[in-house]
Amino acid sequence: MKAGVLFSGGKDSSLAAVLLSRDYSVELNTFVFSHQRSLAAVERAALALGFPYRRRTFREDLLGRAVEMVLSSGYPNAAIQMVHKEALCILSTEYRVVADGTRFDDRVPMLSRDEVQSLQDTSGCSYLRPLLGYPRREVDRIAARHLEIAFGETGRIENGDYEAEIREEVRARGEDSGKYFPLHHEQSLVTGTITISG
Amino acid sequence: MKAGVLFSGGKDSSLAAVLLSRDYSVELNTFVFSHQRSLAAVERAALALGFPYRRRTFREDLLGRAVEMVLSSGYPNAAIQMVHKEALCILSTEYRVVADGTRFDDRVPMLSRDEVQSLQDTSGCSYLRPLLGYPRREVDRIAARHLEIAFGETGRIENGDYEAEIREEVRARGEDSGKYFPLHHEQSLVTGTITISG
C-alpha cells in the first residue's frame, strides 16, 4: 500500500517516513507557496532517505490567506494549522493513506480527534501519524539511530517548513515578522542516513 | 534500549510489540489478578512472537477495588482504566521505556495527555503507544502482514484482558455480569506470526 507523507526534510517527518516505510510504500511530498522557492536541501534529504519525492505548489491565494490570519490573530498558529490541513486535504485526494510527522508533544500543527475523523470520512483515506504515540525524547532516540541531522534556528536551516515563506510575505508587506513569530524555533534538516548493523 | 510492553496476547498489544521491536529490545508483560489464572494461550502467543515474556500478579486488593468500581458505576470503563494505569505504574518502576497497544480509536483504556505527562514525570520513564497514530483499519492492515490472529467474543477467546477476571469476580459475588459488561466485545488472540518475504 502506497502512503503519501508530508515531508519538510526535518527530523520528525523524515523519521515518520522511515518508520512507515517498513509497512508501506512511502512517497515524500513537500508543499511550497511559490514556484520560485528553492528546496535544494529538502531534495537532498529526500535523496538521502531514498524515497520517491514530489514537490507540490499550493494554489495561489493560500499564502495571502495565511498571512492575513497571522496579522489578524497576532500569532502564526492558526495559519500553520490551516495550511497543514490544506496540504493533508490535497494529498488525501491522491493517496488512500496519508501521513505526517506529528509527535505526541506537538501543539501546532495538530489535528483534533474530530478533524482527523472528518478528514478520513470525507476523503475515504487513512491518516497516519507514526510518531503520535512517542514523546520527544524517544523520537530523538530513534531518530539518532537512523538519521544524520543538522539543527539550527529558522532562517539558518533551509527546510520545507511553511513558516519561512509566511515570514517572508509578512516582511514583504512591510510588517516586522519578529512581532508575530516566536524568537527561538529550532529547526532540523536531515543530511544523511545511518545504516544500522546487527 | 529495553521496552516493557503490556501484553494481552491480542492483536493490538502484539502488533505494538512487533513495531517497537524494530527499535527497542522488547519484553512482554502480562498482569493477572490471581495466581491461579491460566495464561497458556497468552504464553503461546508470546512464544510465537519470540520476545521474552513475564507473567505478573497485581497485589491482592486490586480485583476487589476494580469490582467495586464496576458495581458502583454500573459500567466497567473506570475499573479497566484504573487497572491499566496500575499496570503501567508497576512497569514504570522497572523499565525506562513502557508501552502498550492503545490505538487512535480506543476509548478505554486511554490515558489523557495529563495522565501521560504525570506517569512520565513521576516515574522518569517514557510511555510509548506505537499504534496511537493509526486508525483501526490500518492497524488491521499491518497486523495482517505480521500476525496470525483468532477472533471471538470475550469468554470464547482466552487472552490476558483484565475483563475476564473482573467478570468472574462480579459473578462470584452473586451479580449478573451481563448487566455491567457490553454484550458483544470482540477479542483477539495471536496464534502465530507471518514471515514477510521480499
Side-chain angles (χ1 to χ4, degrees), chain B residues 23-44:
Chain B
D23 296 294
Y24 295 84
S25 177
V26 161
E27 289 185 4
L28 307 175
N29 293 263
T30 304
F31 281 83
V32 289
F33 294 102
S34 156
H35 288 287
Q36 273 90 52
R37 175 126 197 258
S38 159
L39 285 176
V42 179
E43 282 156 22
R44 284 195 297 274

PDB file of all heavy atoms in Angstrom, chain B residues 23-44:
ATOM      1  N   ASP B  23      13.085  -1.037  17.012  1.00  0.00           N
ATOM      2  CA  ASP B  23      13.968  -0.013  17.571  1.00  0.00           C
ATOM      3  C   ASP B  23      14.276  -0.205  19.054  1.00  0.00           C
ATOM      4  O   ASP B  23      15.093   0.528  19.607  1.00  0.00           O
ATOM      5  CB  ASP B  23      13.354   1.378  17.352  1.00  0.00           C
ATOM      6  CG  ASP B  23      13.256   1.718  15.869  1.00  0.00           C
ATOM      7  OD1 ASP B  23      14.311   1.858  15.231  1.00  0.00           O
ATOM      8  OD2 ASP B  23      12.138   1.796  15.347  1.00  0.00           O
ATOM      9  N   TYR B  24      13.597  -1.148  19.703  1.00  0.00           N
ATOM     10  CA  TYR B  24      13.813  -1.408  21.126  1.00  0.00           C
ATOM     11  C   TYR B  24      13.943  -2.904  21.348  1.00  0.00           C
ATOM     12  O   TYR B  24      13.513  -3.706  20.516  1.00  0.00           O
ATOM     13  CB  TYR B  24      12.629  -0.883  21.967  1.00  0.00           C
ATOM     14  CG  TYR B  24      12.479   0.614  21.921  1.00  0.00           C
ATOM     15  CD1 TYR B  24      11.798   1.223  20.871  1.00  0.00           C
ATOM     16  CD2 TYR B  24      13.026   1.421  22.914  1.00  0.00           C
ATOM     17  CE1 TYR B  24      11.666   2.605  20.803  1.00  0.00           C
ATOM     18  CE2 TYR B  24      12.904   2.806  22.857  1.00  0.00           C
ATOM     19  CZ  TYR B  24      12.220   3.388  21.796  1.00  0.00           C
ATOM     20  OH  TYR B  24      12.095   4.752  21.727  1.00  0.00           O
ATOM     21  N   SER B  25      14.499  -3.238  22.505  1.00  0.00           N
ATOM     22  CA  SER B  25      14.569  -4.630  22.909  1.00  0.00           C
ATOM     23  C   SER B  25      13.323  -4.928  23.748  1.00  0.00           C
ATOM     24  O   SER B  25      13.236  -4.541  24.912  1.00  0.00           O
ATOM     25  CB  SER B  25      15.864  -4.804  23.713  1.00  0.00           C
ATOM     26  OG  SER B  25      15.960  -6.077  24.193  1.00  0.00           O
ATOM     27  N   VAL B  26      12.357  -5.585  23.140  1.00  0.00           N
ATOM     28  CA  VAL B  26      11.012  -5.717  23.724  1.00  0.00           C
ATOM     29  C   VAL B  26      10.923  -6.864  24.732  1.00  0.00           C
ATOM     30  O   VAL B  26      11.441  -7.956  24.484  1.00  0.00           O
ATOM     31  CB  VAL B  26       9.977  -5.930  22.589  1.00  0.00           C
ATOM     32  CG1 VAL B  26       8.685  -6.528  23.108  1.00  0.00           C
ATOM     33  CG2 VAL B  26       9.706  -4.621  21.871  1.00  0.00           C
ATOM     34  N   GLU B  27      10.262  -6.590  25.877  1.00  0.00           N
ATOM     35  CA  GLU B  27       9.866  -7.655  26.811  1.00  0.00           C
ATOM     36  C   GLU B  27       8.363  -7.558  27.040  1.00  0.00           C
ATOM     37  O   GLU B  27       7.848  -6.471  27.305  1.00  0.00           O
ATOM     38  CB  GLU B  27      10.597  -7.501  28.152  1.00  0.00           C
ATOM     39  CG  GLU B  27      12.075  -7.832  28.062  1.00  0.00           C
ATOM     40  CD  GLU B  27      12.781  -7.803  29.409  1.00  0.00           C
ATOM     41  OE1 GLU B  27      12.098  -7.599  30.449  1.00  0.00           O
ATOM     42  OE2 GLU B  27      14.006  -7.984  29.426  1.00  0.00           O
ATOM     43  N   LEU B  28       7.685  -8.682  26.949  1.00  0.00           N
ATOM     44  CA  LEU B  28       6.229  -8.722  27.115  1.00  0.00           C
ATOM     45  C   LEU B  28       5.885  -8.955  28.585  1.00  0.00           C
ATOM     46  O   LEU B  28       6.531  -9.767  29.252  1.00  0.00           O
ATOM     47  CB  LEU B  28       5.641  -9.858  26.267  1.00  0.00           C
ATOM     48  CG  LEU B  28       6.031  -9.836  24.788  1.00  0.00           C
ATOM     49  CD1 LEU B  28       5.489 -11.078  24.090  1.00  0.00           C
ATOM     50  CD2 LEU B  28       5.532  -8.567  24.114  1.00  0.00           C
ATOM     51  N   ASN B  29       4.862  -8.247  29.065  1.00  0.00           N
ATOM     52  CA  ASN B  29       4.430  -8.370  30.456  1.00  0.00           C
ATOM     53  C   ASN B  29       2.920  -8.522  30.514  1.00  0.00           C
ATOM     54  O   ASN B  29       2.197  -7.643  30.015  1.00  0.00           O
ATOM     55  CB  ASN B  29       4.808  -7.109  31.241  1.00  0.00           C
ATOM     56  CG  ASN B  29       6.308  -6.947  31.405  1.00  0.00           C
ATOM     57  OD1 ASN B  29       6.859  -7.313  32.426  1.00  0.00           O
ATOM     58  ND2 ASN B  29       6.963  -6.403  30.376  1.00  0.00           N
ATOM     59  N   THR B  30       2.463  -9.609  31.117  1.00  0.00           N
ATOM     60  CA  THR B  30       1.021  -9.816  31.265  1.00  0.00           C
ATOM     61  C   THR B  30       0.657  -9.817  32.742  1.00  0.00           C
ATOM     62  O   THR B  30       1.275 -10.542  33.536  1.00  0.00           O
ATOM     63  CB  THR B  30       0.598 -11.161  30.642  1.00  0.00           C
ATOM     64  OG1 THR B  30       1.012 -11.169  29.282  1.00  0.00           O
ATOM     65  CG2 THR B  30      -0.907 -11.346  30.717  1.00  0.00           C
ATOM     66  N   PHE B  31      -0.317  -9.005  33.117  1.00  0.00           N
ATOM     67  CA  PHE B  31      -0.759  -8.910  34.509  1.00  0.00           C
ATOM     68  C   PHE B  31      -2.030  -9.730  34.723  1.00  0.00           C
ATOM     69  O   PHE B  31      -2.947  -9.680  33.901  1.00  0.00           O
ATOM     70  CB  PHE B  31      -1.056  -7.455  34.887  1.00  0.00           C
ATOM     71  CG  PHE B  31       0.181  -6.656  35.184  1.00  0.00           C
ATOM     72  CD1 PHE B  31       0.915  -6.093  34.152  1.00  0.00           C
ATOM     73  CD2 PHE B  31       0.607  -6.481  36.496  1.00  0.00           C
ATOM     74  CE1 PHE B  31       2.056  -5.350  34.419  1.00  0.00           C
ATOM     75  CE2 PHE B  31       1.747  -5.742  36.769  1.00  0.00           C
ATOM     76  CZ  PHE B  31       2.487  -5.174  35.732  1.00  0.00           C
ATOM     77  N   VAL B  32      -2.079 -10.444  35.832  1.00  0.00           N
ATOM     78  CA  VAL B  32      -3.301 -11.137  36.243  1.00  0.00           C
ATOM     79  C   VAL B  32      -3.611 -10.761  37.685  1.00  0.00           C
ATOM     80  O   VAL B  32      -2.735 -10.312  38.423  1.00  0.00           O
ATOM     81  CB  VAL B  32      -3.163 -12.674  36.129  1.00  0.00           C
ATOM     82  CG1 VAL B  32      -3.142 -13.112  34.662  1.00  0.00           C
ATOM     83  CG2 VAL B  32      -1.918 -13.160  36.842  1.00  0.00           C
ATOM     84  N   PHE B  33      -4.881 -10.940  38.070  1.00  0.00           N
ATOM     85  CA  PHE B  33      -5.262 -10.669  39.451  1.00  0.00           C
ATOM     86  C   PHE B  33      -4.942 -11.860  40.343  1.00  0.00           C
ATOM     87  O   PHE B  33      -4.622 -11.697  41.510  1.00  0.00           O
ATOM     88  CB  PHE B  33      -6.769 -10.372  39.533  1.00  0.00           C
ATOM     89  CG  PHE B  33      -7.167  -9.095  38.844  1.00  0.00           C
ATOM     90  CD1 PHE B  33      -7.768  -9.107  37.597  1.00  0.00           C
ATOM     91  CD2 PHE B  33      -6.945  -7.869  39.460  1.00  0.00           C
ATOM     92  CE1 PHE B  33      -8.144  -7.937  36.974  1.00  0.00           C
ATOM     93  CE2 PHE B  33      -7.313  -6.686  38.834  1.00  0.00           C
ATOM     94  CZ  PHE B  33      -7.911  -6.722  37.587  1.00  0.00           C
ATOM     95  N   SER B  34      -5.056 -13.061  39.773  1.00  0.00           N
ATOM     96  CA  SER B  34      -4.950 -14.263  40.605  1.00  0.00           C
ATOM     97  C   SER B  34      -3.809 -15.160  40.137  1.00  0.00           C
ATOM     98  O   SER B  34      -3.609 -15.360  38.933  1.00  0.00           O
ATOM     99  CB  SER B  34      -6.269 -15.043  40.523  1.00  0.00           C
ATOM    100  OG  SER B  34      -6.040 -16.400  40.817  1.00  0.00           O
ATOM    101  N   HIS B  35      -3.081 -15.695  41.117  1.00  0.00           N
ATOM    102  CA  HIS B  35      -2.004 -16.644  40.806  1.00  0.00           C
ATOM    103  C   HIS B  35      -2.541 -17.859  40.045  1.00  0.00           C
ATOM    104  O   HIS B  35      -1.832 -18.481  39.271  1.00  0.00           O
ATOM    105  CB  HIS B  35      -1.331 -17.135  42.103  1.00  0.00           C
ATOM    106  CG  HIS B  35      -0.485 -16.088  42.739  1.00  0.00           C
ATOM    107  ND1 HIS B  35       0.730 -15.711  42.225  1.00  0.00           N
ATOM    108  CD2 HIS B  35      -0.679 -15.326  43.841  1.00  0.00           C
ATOM    109  CE1 HIS B  35       1.252 -14.760  42.979  1.00  0.00           C
ATOM    110  NE2 HIS B  35       0.419 -14.503  43.967  1.00  0.00           N
ATOM    111  N   GLN B  36      -3.822 -18.199  40.299  1.00  0.00           N
ATOM    112  CA  GLN B  36      -4.393 -19.409  39.703  1.00  0.00           C
ATOM    113  C   GLN B  36      -4.705 -19.276  38.208  1.00  0.00           C
ATOM    114  O   GLN B  36      -4.842 -20.269  37.512  1.00  0.00           O
ATOM    115  CB  GLN B  36      -5.714 -19.794  40.413  1.00  0.00           C
ATOM    116  CG  GLN B  36      -5.512 -20.664  41.651  1.00  0.00           C
ATOM    117  CD  GLN B  36      -5.343 -19.804  42.891  1.00  0.00           C
ATOM    118  OE1 GLN B  36      -6.165 -18.943  43.148  1.00  0.00           O
ATOM    119  NE2 GLN B  36      -4.264 -20.007  43.645  1.00  0.00           N
ATOM    120  N   ARG B  37      -4.851 -18.071  37.749  1.00  0.00           N
ATOM    121  CA  ARG B  37      -5.351 -17.873  36.378  1.00  0.00           C
ATOM    122  C   ARG B  37      -4.422 -18.515  35.338  1.00  0.00           C
ATOM    123  O   ARG B  37      -3.218 -18.267  35.335  1.00  0.00           O
ATOM    124  CB  ARG B  37      -5.487 -16.374  36.105  1.00  0.00           C
ATOM    125  CG  ARG B  37      -5.887 -16.073  34.675  1.00  0.00           C
ATOM    126  CD  ARG B  37      -7.103 -15.207  34.602  1.00  0.00           C
ATOM    127  NE  ARG B  37      -7.680 -15.280  33.273  1.00  0.00           N
ATOM    128  CZ  ARG B  37      -7.542 -14.347  32.336  1.00  0.00           C
ATOM    129  NH1 ARG B  37      -6.856 -13.251  32.609  1.00  0.00           N
ATOM    130  NH2 ARG B  37      -8.096 -14.502  31.153  1.00  0.00           N
ATOM    131  N   SER B  38      -5.016 -19.287  34.441  1.00  0.00           N
ATOM    132  CA  SER B  38      -4.230 -19.887  33.359  1.00  0.00           C
ATOM    133  C   SER B  38      -3.999 -18.867  32.261  1.00  0.00           C
ATOM    134  O   SER B  38      -4.904 -18.131  31.868  1.00  0.00           O
ATOM    135  CB  SER B  38      -4.989 -21.086  32.768  1.00  0.00           C
ATOM    136  OG  SER B  38      -4.489 -21.348  31.462  1.00  0.00           O
ATOM    137  N   LEU B  39      -2.768 -18.820  31.782  1.00  0.00           N
ATOM    138  CA  LEU B  39      -2.446 -17.932  30.659  1.00  0.00           C
ATOM    139  C   LEU B  39      -1.783 -18.712  29.534  1.00  0.00           C
ATOM    140  O   LEU B  39      -0.957 -18.167  28.795  1.00  0.00           O
ATOM    141  CB  LEU B  39      -1.521 -16.800  31.131  1.00  0.00           C
ATOM    142  CG  LEU B  39      -2.163 -15.682  31.957  1.00  0.00           C
ATOM    143  CD1 LEU B  39      -1.106 -14.690  32.431  1.00  0.00           C
ATOM    144  CD2 LEU B  39      -3.226 -14.940  31.138  1.00  0.00           C
ATOM    145  N   ALA B  40      -2.162 -19.986  29.404  1.00  0.00           N
ATOM    146  CA  ALA B  40      -1.477 -20.850  28.433  1.00  0.00           C
ATOM    147  C   ALA B  40      -1.519 -20.263  27.023  1.00  0.00           C
ATOM    148  O   ALA B  40      -0.508 -20.248  26.316  1.00  0.00           O
ATOM    149  CB  ALA B  40      -2.111 -22.247  28.451  1.00  0.00           C
ATOM    150  N   ALA B  41      -2.688 -19.747  26.612  1.00  0.00           N
ATOM    151  CA  ALA B  41      -2.809 -19.223  25.242  1.00  0.00           C
ATOM    152  C   ALA B  41      -1.969 -17.959  25.064  1.00  0.00           C
ATOM    153  O   ALA B  41      -1.383 -17.728  24.009  1.00  0.00           O
ATOM    154  CB  ALA B  41      -4.279 -18.930  24.923  1.00  0.00           C
ATOM    155  N   VAL B  42      -1.913 -17.146  26.118  1.00  0.00           N
ATOM    156  CA  VAL B  42      -1.105 -15.916  26.049  1.00  0.00           C
ATOM    157  C   VAL B  42       0.379 -16.272  25.965  1.00  0.00           C
ATOM    158  O   VAL B  42       1.145 -15.648  25.224  1.00  0.00           O
ATOM    159  CB  VAL B  42      -1.390 -15.016  27.272  1.00  0.00           C
ATOM    160  CG1 VAL B  42      -0.547 -13.752  27.220  1.00  0.00           C
ATOM    161  CG2 VAL B  42      -2.873 -14.664  27.349  1.00  0.00           C
ATOM    162  N   GLU B  43       0.758 -17.289  26.729  1.00  0.00           N
ATOM    163  CA  GLU B  43       2.159 -17.726  26.686  1.00  0.00           C
ATOM    164  C   GLU B  43       2.521 -18.278  25.311  1.00  0.00           C
ATOM    165  O   GLU B  43       3.616 -18.037  24.810  1.00  0.00           O
ATOM    166  CB  GLU B  43       2.418 -18.781  27.779  1.00  0.00           C
ATOM    167  CG  GLU B  43       2.568 -18.121  29.149  1.00  0.00           C
ATOM    168  CD  GLU B  43       2.256 -19.056  30.316  1.00  0.00           C
ATOM    169  OE1 GLU B  43       2.329 -20.298  30.135  1.00  0.00           O
ATOM    170  OE2 GLU B  43       1.908 -18.534  31.403  1.00  0.00           O
ATOM    171  N   ARG B  44       1.583 -18.979  24.672  1.00  0.00           N
ATOM    172  CA  ARG B  44       1.844 -19.460  23.305  1.00  0.00           C
ATOM    173  C   ARG B  44       1.979 -18.285  22.336  1.00  0.00           C
ATOM    174  O   ARG B  44       2.824 -18.308  21.434  1.00  0.00           O
ATOM    175  CB  ARG B  44       0.717 -20.403  22.845  1.00  0.00           C
ATOM    176  CG  ARG B  44       0.795 -21.804  23.451  1.00  0.00           C
ATOM    177  CD  ARG B  44      -0.107 -22.799  22.708  1.00  0.00           C
ATOM    178  NE  ARG B  44      -1.523 -22.454  22.788  1.00  0.00           N
ATOM    179  CZ  ARG B  44      -2.339 -22.802  23.792  1.00  0.00           C
ATOM    180  NH1 ARG B  44      -1.880 -23.519  24.814  1.00  0.00           N
ATOM    181  NH2 ARG B  44      -3.610 -22.457  23.768  1.00  0.00           N
TER     182      ARG B  44
END
